[in-house]
Amino acid sequence: MTHPMASIRTFGHLELSDSSVLQNKLLLLLCYLAIEGPQPRRHLAQLFWLGATDPANRLSVALSRLRRTHPGCVEADEHRVWTDLVTDTSSFVALLEEGKTDQAAALYGGHFLNDFQCGELQEELEEWISATRESLARRM
């Protein structure tokens, strides 16, 4: 169960609302889960840690760190990982679908993950960021 006030800001920059410091890759993992929904562990391990000696272990370590530092922000079983965190992205889309364009525009504080820096990312993850950025900008 997530703290009711916890949310992820994605427009302009990436941050967890109730967190002062969180490693960028872990924050991106939470963002990806919040937007894409539950994901197979194997997919996440390959997407985020393809070059690692043991990607599955790296994912497990990341999930343990998230659970320890931000209890309730991520859930997992032996097959899947998910989060119940809300993003400004999902709120933006919901407002547009409700015809509340002024409120949606107020949420749009810059392009999706505009200034995000995380070193080397897998091409598939970079493509996801780019496609999401373009899609949201078009909707704006």
Side-chain angles (χ1 to χ4, degrees):
M1 182 78 166
T2 306
H3 184 282
M5 298 304 290
S7 64
I8 300 174
R9 179 178 173 171
T10 65
F11 289 124
H13 62 282
L14 182 60
E15 69 181 7
L16 185 60
S17 64
D18 63 354
S19 173
S20 55
V21 177
L22 189 60
Q23 182 185 13
N24 279 351
K25 188 175 263 190
L26 299 181
L27 194 50
L28 183 59
L29 175 63
L30 285 176
C31 175
Y32 185 83
L33 289 168
I35 292 172
E36 297 299 319
Q39 296 293 312
R41 290 178 79 100
R42 173 181 232 145
H43 172 69
L44 292 174
Q46 294 298 313
L47 186 62
F48 283 84
W49 291 280
L50 182 63
T53 304
D54 187 351
N57 183 59
R58 296 287 295 272
L59 174 62
S60 293
V61 168
L63 295 175
S64 294
R65 183 174 294 144
L66 283 169
R67 286 189 197 107
R68 186 176 60 253
T69 59
H70 298 81
C73 74
V74 67
E75 302 292 330
D77 59 27
E78 61 185 83
H79 303 289
R80 298 177 315 133
V81 180
W82 65 93
T83 186
D84 293 328
L85 293 173
V86 174
T87 66
D88 55 356
T89 307
S90 59
S91 299
F92 170 79
V93 170
L95 287 167
L96 285 178
E97 289 173 353
E98 294 169 12
K100 299 176 180 176
T101 54
D102 289 344
Q103 288 173 288
L107 268 182
Y108 195 89
H111 292 300
F112 177 77
L113 306 186
N114 192 48
D115 62 0
F116 182 73
Q117 300 290 323
C118 190
E120 295 270 330
L121 292 177
Q122 298 302 334
E123 185 176 336
E124 182 181 345
L125 198 49
E126 287 181 4
E127 288 173 3
W128 175 80
I129 291 170
S130 179
T132 303
R133 181 179 294 141
E134 289 171 19
S135 172
L136 293 167
R138 269 195 311 277
R139 293 187 83 165
M140 182 58 197

